[in-house]
Amino acid sequence: GKGYIGGKKYFGLMPNGDLYRGGLIITIPDDQVFHNKRNKLKKAPQSLKDALMLHILAVAIVVKWQEKEPYLSMMVHPDVSKANNRTFKKWIESDLKQWRKLMQKPDGQEDKVDLINKFRELFPMAIEYYPENEKPSFDEIEPFIKDILNDKKVYLINSVKVADQLIEWDRYSMHILVGAEMLNRGFTVEKLATTYMPRYTVGASNADTIQQRCRFFGYKSKYIQSCRVFLPKWNIKNYISYVQHEEELRS
C-alpha cells in the first residue's frame, strides 16, 4: 500500500533504482559479524557503535527537530542464544551510559569534544537522503543528543509476555530492543528506524526465515530518510535474491 517500504525499495531494485539505490542498507564487515563459535567477539564492534550513533541522530532529527514521531526504535538481533543477546545488551547499555556521562561534562572537555566529533563525522550519513531544503545543520541537532541519552530505554526481548510488560512505547523518545527469536518473527517493533542484524549464515537460508526477519519492512515513508539496516554481505545477497525471485513469481 501507499507508504509501505518493502524489499524492492530497500534494496534498490525498483525500475529506476529509487529509494536511494539501496543506500539505506549498510554492510557489517565480516570480522564484526558475531558467531558463538566462528567469531565470538570480545567487545562491541565498531559497526554496532556506528548504528547506535546513527539511531541517536535519527531520533534527534525525526522526533526532536522535525517532531514527526513521538519516538523511534532500534532492533538488535545478533544471535539465537539468550546469553549472547544479553552480552549485546550490556555492550549497548555500557556505551550509552558512557556517552551520557560525557555529554554531562562542561563544554570544552577533551573527551566530550571527541564524542561530539564522532557524532559530527556520522552526521553527513544521517542526513544524506533528506532534500537540501529539509537538512538540519549539526549545530541544530547536537543539543538534542544529551536529552536523548537521558530519555531512552534498552530492552531484552525473549517473549511476547516480557515485551508486553516491559515496553511503554510513548514513555521514551528512543527504544532499543535486543533479542533472539522473538525479534525474528511474530512481534511488531513500533516505529522501527534502525536495524542491526548480524545473523551468521553458513549454508543457504530458508526463504521463510528471510521473510520473517524483515521487521524493517513497513509503513515508514514519514521517516524513511532516517532508516538504516545493518546486515552482513551474505544476508544482503540473500535478500536481493529473495526479492528478485518474489518479483519473478508476481510477473
Side-chain angles (χ1 to χ4, degrees), residues 58-69 130-131 134-136 141 144 222-223 225-226:
V59 175
I61 295 167
V62 176
V63 178
K64 301 294 187 179
W65 190 68
Q66 292 181 331
E67 297 183 342
K68 278 188 175 181
E69 298 289 354
Y130 280 89
E134 294 182 17
K135 287 183 178 180
I141 293 302
F144 296 125
K222 282 176 66 176
Y223 57 92
Q225 292 94 339
S226 283

Side-chain angles (χ1 to χ4, degrees), residues 161-180:
K161 184 178 180 180
V162 169
D164 289 342
Q165 290 175 347
L166 280 180
I167 302 177
E168 299 174 272
W169 294 110
D170 292 319
R171 186 171 178 179
Y172 303 95
S173 64
M174 182 172 78
H175 299 274
I176 300 173
L177 284 66
V178 185

Side-chain angles (χ1 to χ4, degrees), residues 119-229:
F119 278 103
R120 191 188 300 274
E121 288 170 11
L122 286 172
F123 188 66
M125 184 185 296
I127 61 170
E128 183 176 0
Y129 300 114
Y130 280 89
E132 287 299 323
N133 62 344
E134 294 182 17
K135 287 183 178 180
S137 68
F138 183 75
D139 289 340
E140 289 174 301
I141 293 302
E142 189 258 319
F144 296 125
I145 295 173
K146 180 180 177 181
D147 294 340
I148 294 165
L149 289 168
N150 285 298
D151 185 22
K152 54 88 178 66
K153 183 79 172 178
V154 184
Y155 311 85
L156 183 67
I157 305 298
N158 288 321
S159 72
V160 172
K161 184 178 180 180
V162 169
D164 289 342
Q165 290 175 347
L166 280 180
I167 302 177
E168 299 174 272
W169 294 110
D170 292 319
R171 186 171 178 179
Y172 303 95
S173 64
M174 182 172 78
H175 299 274
I176 300 173
L177 284 66
V178 185
E181 292 307 291
M182 268 310 302
L183 295 184
N184 196 3
R185 59 186 70 207
F187 177 74
T188 300
V189 181
E190 300 289 346
K191 303 190 188 302
L192 176 61
T194 308
T195 298
Y196 187 84
M197 192 164 60
R199 289 302 300 264
Y200 202 103
T201 303
V202 178
S205 294
N206 180 279
D208 178 62
T209 300
I210 289 174
Q211 187 181 46
Q212 290 290 342
R213 288 178 182 166
C214 294
R215 321 317 300 172
F216 48 91
F217 287 9
Y219 290 88
K220 307 179 188 302
S221 58
K222 282 176 66 176
Y223 57 92
I224 188 60
Q225 292 94 339
S226 283
C227 290
R228 297 294 184 275
V229 183

Side-chain angles (χ1 to χ4, degrees), residues 47-60:
S47 55
L48 177 60
K49 294 174 182 286
D50 291 347
L52 280 172
M53 286 189 165
L54 281 171
H55 186 60
I56 292 168
L57 291 171
V59 175

Side-chain angles (χ1 to χ4, degrees), residues 1 3-14 18-20 22:
Y4 184 82
I5 308 298
K8 282 197 300 181
K9 292 185 176 181
Y10 261 116
F11 294 93
L13 299 176
M14 298 290 279
D18 66 351
L19 200 64
Y20 325 122

